[in-house]
Amino acid sequence: PRTIATLRMAGIRVWVLTGDKVETAVEIAKSCQLIDEGMRLVWVVGASSAAGCVDALAEAADGASTKLKGRPMGQGMVLDGTSIGHILPDSDARRALYNAAVRSSSCVCCRLSPMQKRELVELVREQNQQAITLAIGDGANDVPMIQGA
């Protein structure tokens, strides 16, 4: 947990791309300090269209500067595979996801297929060609993501 907290304090954005259920992934993110108390969480879960995702992500980008007791609140995002499935094929939704992501210190993407994991890494590299990406996995389902990084 201290390593992840240190990475976030250094301004490094940490994403968890997993096949786990949303509830499981969020609890793990909390236990390792990827998501902390007081963090504003943006939920894009169970979306039924790319337009719905764009609306939620635009709200995330707009609210990223929210303050609590005069201090900036951190922001994190939680997305699921269904919503990512609407975002990835739509250029406006892809841009909205990237814009919200750069305003967030952490992102938890759940119920993803191996190819969705890879496409998310590629989306970051596509939107910012100067970005440095690193992917770490623990199984064969993570190979596409690692190759994409």
Side-chain angles (χ1 to χ4, degrees):
R2 287 189 307 220
T3 301
I4 290 174
T6 301
L7 289 171
R8 287 184 47 227
M9 287 188 324
I12 297 172
R13 290 176 195 88
V14 179
W15 289 38
V16 172
L17 308 179
T18 182
D20 289 345
K21 292 180 184 176
V22 173
E23 299 79 13
T24 303
V26 168
E27 287 306 313
I28 290 169
K30 287 178 180 177
S31 71
C32 68
Q33 297 181 13
L34 185 62
I35 295 173
D36 55 34
E37 284 191 44
M39 179 179 273
R40 178 178 184 264
L41 281 183
V42 175
W43 295 80
V44 186
V45 176
S48 58
S49 69
C53 294
V54 169
D55 291 344
L57 292 166
E59 192 175 307
D62 291 343
S65 61
T66 303
K67 294 187 177 194
L68 178 66
K69 296 182 183 176
R71 294 177 43 213
M73 287 175 54
Q75 176 172 287
M77 296 193 312
V78 179
L79 297 98
D80 69 348
T82 301
S83 301
I84 294 295
H86 294 298
I87 292 169
L88 290 173
D90 184 281
S91 60
D92 291 336
R94 291 170 71 86
R95 176 49 106 181
L97 174 57
Y98 180 78
N99 288 339
V102 296
R103 290 170 174 78
S104 301
S105 63
S106 58
C107 183
V108 178
C109 298
C110 319
R111 296 312 244 180
L112 298 179
S113 71
M115 287 314 295
Q116 284 177 317
K117 292 177 185 182
R118 179 184 185 129
E119 289 179 47
L120 283 168
V121 171
E122 290 172 345
L123 181 149
V124 171
R125 297 177 63 83
E126 163 195 305
Q127 297 292 322
N128 179 357
Q129 293 167 1
Q130 302 300 314
I132 298 171
T133 57
L134 168 69
I136 301 170
D138 64 356
N141 63 330
D142 295 316
V143 170
M145 172 185 66
I146 293 166
Q147 290 174 331

